[in-house]
Every structure is written in structure tokens, then in C-alpha cells.
Amino acid sequence: MFLTTVWVHRTNGSENTGKSLPAHLQDISSHHERTVQTLAQDFVRRFGDVPTIYQAPGRVNLIGEHTDYNEGFVMPAAIGMCTRVAAAPRRDGKLIVRSENFSEEATFELDQLPVRGSGHWSDYVVGVAKVLAESGIPLTGANLLICGDVPVGAGLSSSASVEVAVGYALMDLAGQETDRAQLARLCQQAENEFVGARCGIMDQFVASHGKRDHALLLDCRSLDYRLLPLRADARLVICNTMVRHAIAGGEYNQRRAECEAGVKYLSRHFRSVRALRDATLEELAALSGELPDKILRRCRHVISENARVVQAAAALTRNELSAFGDLMRESHRSLRDDFEVSCAELDLMVQLVEQAQGVYGARMTGGGFGGCTINLVDASCVDAFQQSVSEGYERATGRRPEIYVCSAADGVGLA
Ligand code: GLA
């Protein structure tokens, strides 16, 4: 349980009773504390109750793309941009959810939650509540006020950050000890079954388990993980192309199906292959006469990407950022040519980044078809990097990119 701070002042969700915030929260100076305070004040104004505030981060994936649903390895890090949920319990079994980003509110009855999502932002909240309840967690009604600064549709997992923050909040309000791996699995299940996106476990896992100044090496089969310290003299710089191609969702599910088709072929010949995680490039090559070219290339990406993640972890452990960067480059090429999930804007961004000083490596990050690149940049070169990449990209596309200089952040917790 995390409810030990002065924030905790639970009443029963009566609305607009005019309660004000504790005095110590009225004189706060840091940006983090100011935004937390503003959310708390908005909550008091709307619901008349003092909330507990939770937050879960977005993520960037350093390497290991489209490997999670193939039971392979990934290496994401949680980032400073996050979703915050102000929450207090209600006694009447209602779930009232307000989004500050959408300026909208929706009300649900916990005992009559919809069966499936409707394409509304509240799906990410209701889906999590539903999956938690079905897993046997005795939820209470709740008022939730949600606000986030993870860019939506940029491939930085704004949806997982909403799911994990809400799931954590609901479990805490229900007095449940949080098992973070269970939280990640349930949030993934909500996205798969309620929202209808067949994502893997990476995003929810790192939103639950991320650690400041560390990347997270995750085995997506066993869910064993290791935290790998990131060097203080390098920065994770994220370049947002500001494009998201509409085909992204359909193509993602298509790639999953193609990987599954590959496993069918491989497992007929090699009985140890239950997922692409189990296959080797030699086994794949042995089937090259039989496998359709497209399936072969999809499998080649996943099998080689898994190997790259393992090598990248070793390079990071030895502090060899140049070797790490080379693996990022290979990863991008493989995603572009074999897995075919890059796009012109991502390729251009990677090209421009490679021309800047102090860059160890660059690649697209996340599902693809737009969104962001992740770039490992020497800290002393970050300012010049931002200027040259930003100008180059705008000149070539007419779009101004957003560039976020990040350090790795903690996973879900109290704000
Ligand atoms: C999306 C999914 C993840 C993962 C990546 C690709 O972000 O949500 O589960 O599959 O794409 O690596």
C-alpha cells in the first residue's frame, strides 16, 4: 500500500462540498508540484473531495521492436512525460471519469460495464476497470480526473500510461497491494480485449516497472527483467516526426499475423519453435525455399532483432555506446527493409540525425508508420543537435518536429 502521505484524505465522493487542499499544497514551487497541485485543485472543484494523485509514464523503446508479441526481448525506458490520475472513492458503485485533455466526462456503473470499447478515450479507463473486476479485484466506485502530457499518437505509449495509472489508482482505492507484473498483464489484456488493439506487453510493463536513469531489459516470455544503468553523459533524445499514418493499427495486426504464419512454417520443421523467439537465422534459412518471401523477411527481422537486444544489453553493460548505436542503426534498417514498418518521414529523420555531431545511434521507435525516432546523443552536443535536426526536418517537410530531451524515469506510483 502506498497511502501513507498527507495526500490521503478519503471521504466518500460527495460532490462539491467545498473542501480545500491541505495548506502545504498551497505554496509549491517546482513545475512538477505545480501541475500536481493544479490537478488536485481541479478535482476539488469538480468533485468536492481531496484526491490521491497517481502517475504513470510514457515510454521510449531503445531497441527490440515488434519482438514483444513474439515472446522475445525488448529494452524500453520510462520517460518523464506521464499521465496523472486524481482519484477518490465513491460509495455508490459509479465510476465517474473526467479527462482534462478532452474536457469531457463519462459515467459508468461498475456492475454494468460495457462488454467492448466504443472507440472513445474512456475505453482505456473502462477496459482496465472491467479486466480488474473480472480478475477478482473488489473495486469500489471512484471519481477520476485524468490529465496527461504524453503526446497522443506519437508512439510513446500514451495509452499504456493511462491504463497503468488508472489500474494502479483503482487497485489502491480498493486497498489492494499492487503486484506490478499482474498490473501490466491486466492492462495489456484490457487493451487487447476491450480496446481491440493486439499490442504486446512492453508498454504496460515499463510503465509499471520503469526506473529513473535505467533502461529495462525485459524477457517478454518469462517477464524476467533487468534494470540497466544509463550513462549520465548521454541523453535519450526523441524526435517526433509529427506524422501518424492512418494505416498504423491495421498494419500492426497484419504484422502479428505474418509472424504467426512464420511460426506455423517453422514449427512444422523444428519442434522446439513455439514462437519466433525460439527460432534461429539458420533454421529460417533452411526454409527459404518454402517460405513466402514476405514471411521470411518478417521472421528475419524478429529473429535478428532479438539477437540485437541481447548484444545491446551487453554493450550497455560494458559502457560501449558506439557499439550500442551501431545496433540501433541495424535495427532501423531491419524495421525499414524487412519488417516494413518505417515511413519516409522516419527514414528522413534518422538520416538527418546521423548527420549531426555526437550521435551514437538512431532508429524509429514504437509500432512505426510515423511517430518518433529515438536517438542516443552525447550530452554536450544536444543543443546543436536540436537546432540542426529541427531545421533540416522543417526545411525538407514543411513540418516543425518536436524534440524531447529525456532521461529515464520511474514507473507508476504516487505523484
Ligand atoms: C506498440 C505496441 C508494443 C510493441 C511495439 C512494437 O508500441 O504497443 O506492444 O509491439 O508497438 O515494438
Side-chain angles (χ1 to χ4, degrees):
M1 281 288 295
F2 292 81
L3 298 184
T4 50
T5 71
V6 280
W7 268 112
V8 184
H9 174 81
R10 288 185 175 164
T11 59
N12 291 318
S14 55
E15 278 155 42
N16 293 321
T17 54
K19 289 195 190 99
S20 61
L21 290 175
H24 73 286
L25 288 169
Q26 293 171 14
D27 174 27
I28 284 176
S29 49
S30 81
H31 174 70
H32 164 87
E33 287 169 325
R34 262 199 315 279
T35 50
V36 169
Q37 185 193 37
T38 306
L39 186 63
Q41 282 165 342
D42 290 350
F43 189 96
V44 172
R45 222 170 288 126
R46 168 60 189 90
F47 295 111
D49 204 356
V50 177
T52 305
I53 302 197
Y54 307 86
Q55 67 181 32
R59 66 99 188 93
V60 68
N61 191 15
L62 274 59
I63 194 159
E65 221 64 84
H66 290 272
T67 45
D68 60 351
Y69 54 82
N70 290 299
E71 303 188 18
F73 299 98
V74 292
M75 197 195 293
I79 54 177
M81 294 180 275
C82 69
T83 299
R84 296 208 171 95
V85 176
R90 303 179 58 96
R91 278 211 172 136
D92 57 4
K94 279 192 192 352
L95 194 58
I96 302 189
V97 192
R98 183 167 180 80
S99 161
E100 293 220 322
N101 297 69
F102 291 95
S103 302
E104 261 181 28
E105 189 166 302
T107 300
F108 302 88
E109 303 287 339
L110 273 181
D111 58 2
Q112 290 169 41
L113 292 176
V115 184
R116 214 161 290 111
S118 60
H120 193 245
W121 60 264
S122 61
D123 289 356
Y124 295 98
V125 178
V126 179
V128 168
K130 190 172 171 69
V131 167
L132 255 49
E134 284 172 0
S135 79
I137 294 168
L139 297 186
T140 65
N143 294 322
L144 303 178
L145 180 62
I146 303 180
C147 183
D149 62 5
V150 186
V152 175
L156 300 177
S157 289
S158 59
S159 36
S161 79
V162 173
E163 291 157 4
V164 169
V166 166
Y168 189 90
L170 292 177
M171 283 172 90
D172 200 31
L173 294 184
Q176 295 286 310
E177 204 71 53
T178 315
D179 170 340
R180 287 171 185 253
Q182 181 198 21
L183 174 65
R185 267 198 222 97
L186 293 173
C187 290
Q188 181 203 12
Q189 190 184 336
E191 186 146 348
N192 290 170
E193 294 172 6
F194 193 86
V195 178
R198 296 187 68 205
C199 65
I201 187 85
M202 168 169 69
D203 306 345
Q204 293 79 5
F205 199 92
V206 69
S208 312
H209 295 76
K211 188 164 158 56
R212 197 183 160 150
D213 298 330
H214 288 73
L216 185 150
L217 171 66
L218 173 66
D219 177 337
C220 298
R221 171 172 279 166
S222 64
L223 298 193
D224 289 341
Y225 69 96
R226 260 170 58 206
L227 292 163
L228 307 174
L230 289 166
R231 256 171 52 176
D233 59 351
R235 294 276 175 281
L236 305 178
V237 183
I238 299 172
C239 295
N240 190 344
T241 61
M242 309 304 280
V243 298
R244 187 78 187 153
H245 294 286
I247 50 171
E251 291 283 337
Y252 184 90
N253 289 346
Q254 180 71 35
R255 293 299 178 281
R256 282 200 70 150
E258 287 161 358
C259 291
E260 283 157 13
V263 172
K264 272 211 184 111
Y265 280 102
L266 281 155
S267 62
R268 259 187 245 136
H269 296 266
F270 306 103
R271 298 189 54 184
S272 59
V273 177
R274 287 190 286 129
L276 287 182
R277 144 73 174 272
D278 304 309
T280 63
L281 287 176
E282 291 70 34
E283 287 168 342
L284 189 66
L287 298 194
S288 60
E290 182 180 334
L291 276 172
D293 178 60
K294 195 199 269 182
I295 304 291
L296 181 116
R297 286 186 292 113
R298 304 301 189 242
C299 296
R300 189 165 61 199
H301 164 70
V302 175
I303 298 169
S304 62
E305 183 80 348
N306 272 328
R308 279 188 287 274
V309 180
V310 174
Q311 290 166 29
L316 203 53
T317 311
R318 292 194 305 267
N319 264 328
E320 290 173 4
L321 294 191
S322 301
F324 192 96
D326 288 342
L327 292 159
M328 292 174 81
R329 272 181 208 110
E330 281 174 35
S331 168
H332 185 78
R333 280 196 291 270
S334 176
L335 287 158
R336 184 191 62 198
D337 301 338
D338 275 353
F339 217 63
E340 294 180 286
V341 289
S342 189
C343 62
E345 295 85 351
L346 284 168
D347 294 342
L348 170 71
M349 190 68 92
V350 166
Q351 237 178 45
L352 290 168
V353 165
E354 293 288 6
Q355 289 160 18
Q357 293 286 308
V359 173
Y360 292 105
R363 55 181 286 277
M364 56 153 281
T365 187
F369 304 102
C372 297
T373 64
I374 169 71
N375 315 284
L376 193 59
V377 183
D378 190 286
S380 65
C381 299
V382 162
D383 290 345
F385 171 99
Q386 290 193 75
Q387 196 177 341
S388 69
V389 172
S390 180
E391 282 173 8
Y393 186 79
E394 192 173 355
R395 208 175 308 119
T397 64
R399 275 175 221 271
R400 182 179 288 265
E402 284 181 2
I403 299 186
Y404 321 112
V405 181
C406 297
S407 34
D410 283 328
V412 66
L414 283 178

